Amino acid sequence: MSNTKELDTLLQSLPSWVETSIPHASSGKVASYIPELSKAPQDALGITILAPDGQSVSAGDCSQVFTMQSISKVFTLILALMDNGEDEVFKRVGMEPTGDNFNSMLKLELVRPGIPFNPFINAGAITVTSLIHGKNMEEKSQRILNLFHSLTGKDNLAYDIDVFNSELESGDLNRSIAYFLKGNQVLIGDVDEVLDIYFRHCSILVQCADLARMGLILALDGEDPLTGTRLLPKRYVQIAKTFMTTCGMYNASGEFAIDVGLPAKSGVSGGILSLVPGRYGIGVIGPSLNDKGNSQAGVHLLEMVSKQMNWSMF
């Protein structure tokens, strides 16, 4: 099926698929452990799908603005790899799924050598954040923000200061993880500064279209077809996409791979970044979460779209 035919099908069918998935939000809950996130509408659901020629299809609440949360971990991993290389990064962070909740620190104590299992759990992402280069906290945060400017084609992306402050005030578990990593000589730098940078990149505001464009660049191994430039090294994009497949939906990643069959990364704001390799970038928002921390209606919608369009990689 050509892209034109696929896009025509999506244009006709996507709104009804969104309507079919919305009721599933009622069986989830909006994240409240970061208090500011609890203000999001539970029944919101939106999606944008972007093709390499710039054509896009959107449906539902795709204009809603939300924070990236853990979706940003995909790109801080790539930036840390660009700054340090594979050997240095994977000396401090592992490459395996955990089977535990995203904020668990259980295996840091039980398994030697005590490094985080992968870059997408909080422990791994905090460690990765500590590896990003810059002469001070402000420069490191700006380098991360600049990366998102280039990936989205927007130079006006900003932080949600209320969410950032909420994360600072409620982030005791992340502080515990960071100090444990510091004590094990895994984390580099000052704990408070690393967490400030980490909370900031989780608090960057985006829309579904932004996730779709970032997803498209990943789908095309780091090239931006809308500008004709390479933004990310192919090898590091391949690493990131592998982690998205094995760890991107936390301890529901195996189930998601079977049911949806696409690389994806979720965030507790309800966002999901996904992609069809070589073909499309996908951005989803659905703030109501299941017990694994993934968008309840968003996962249902992606499963429906993937099956209807025969997009699964497996």
Side-chain angles (χ1 to χ4, degrees), residues 177-240:
I177 291 170
Y179 277 111
F180 188 91
L181 293 167
K182 180 76 171 180
N184 275 10
Q185 299 181 318
V186 174
L187 185 144
I188 296 173
D190 178 80
V191 165
D192 288 334
E193 289 190 0
V194 170
L195 287 174
D196 187 287
I197 299 166
Y198 173 72
F199 292 143
R200 282 186 189 279
H201 67 70
C202 289
S203 301
I204 294 172
L205 287 163
V206 291
Q207 295 174 296
C208 288
D210 301 317
L211 296 187
R213 182 161 179 176
M214 290 186 277
L216 180 62
I217 291 167
L218 295 178
L220 299 177
D221 290 331
E223 292 189 6
D224 185 351
L226 304 183
T227 62
T229 57
R230 172 167 291 282
L231 298 178
L232 303 170
K234 180 177 180 179
R235 167 62 179 168
Y236 298 155
V237 171
Q238 291 172 331
I239 291 172

Side-chain angles (χ1 to χ4, degrees), residues 254-308:
E255 179 182 357
F256 188 88
I258 291 170
D259 292 341
V260 181
L262 299 174
K265 183 72 195 80
S266 63
V268 294
S269 60
I272 304 175
L273 182 155
S274 189
L275 59 98
V276 182
R279 298 166 70 188
Y280 298 106
I282 305 171
V284 172
I285 180 60
S288 181
L289 308 180
N290 60 27
D291 59 0
K292 304 295 175 58
N294 301 317
S295 172
Q296 182 87 333
V299 169
H300 184 272
L301 176 60
L302 283 172
E303 180 179 353
M304 182 179 298
V305 172
S306 179
K307 287 179 176 176
Q308 292 289 338

Side-chain angles (χ1 to χ4, degrees), residues 106-165:
L106 176 66
K107 287 192 172 74
L108 290 176
E109 295 187 271
L110 294 182
V111 180
R112 292 299 151 199
I115 65 173
F117 263 50
N118 66 69
F120 289 172
I121 57 172
N122 288 13
I126 291 168
T127 301
V128 165
T129 298
S130 77
L131 295 171
I132 291 169
H133 290 180
K135 64 177 182 289
N136 54 40
M137 180 175 65
E138 289 75 19
E139 183 177 294
K140 293 174 184 179
S141 289
Q142 189 61 51
R143 290 189 66 230
I144 295 170
L145 192 58
N146 288 345
L147 177 63
F148 286 114
H149 288 162
S150 68
L151 292 169
T152 60
K154 294 166 66 173
D155 60 7
N156 61 346
L157 292 183
Y159 306 110
D160 186 320
I161 297 302
D162 291 333
V163 171
F164 169 71
N165 287 329

Side-chain angles (χ1 to χ4, degrees), residues 80-101:
L81 287 165
M82 291 167 66
D83 283 349
N84 300 275
E86 294 177 48
D87 289 345
E88 180 62 24
V89 170
F90 295 121
K91 180 171 68 178
R92 298 178 182 278
V93 182
M95 301 182 182
E96 304 298 335
T98 67
D100 298 325
N101 291 336

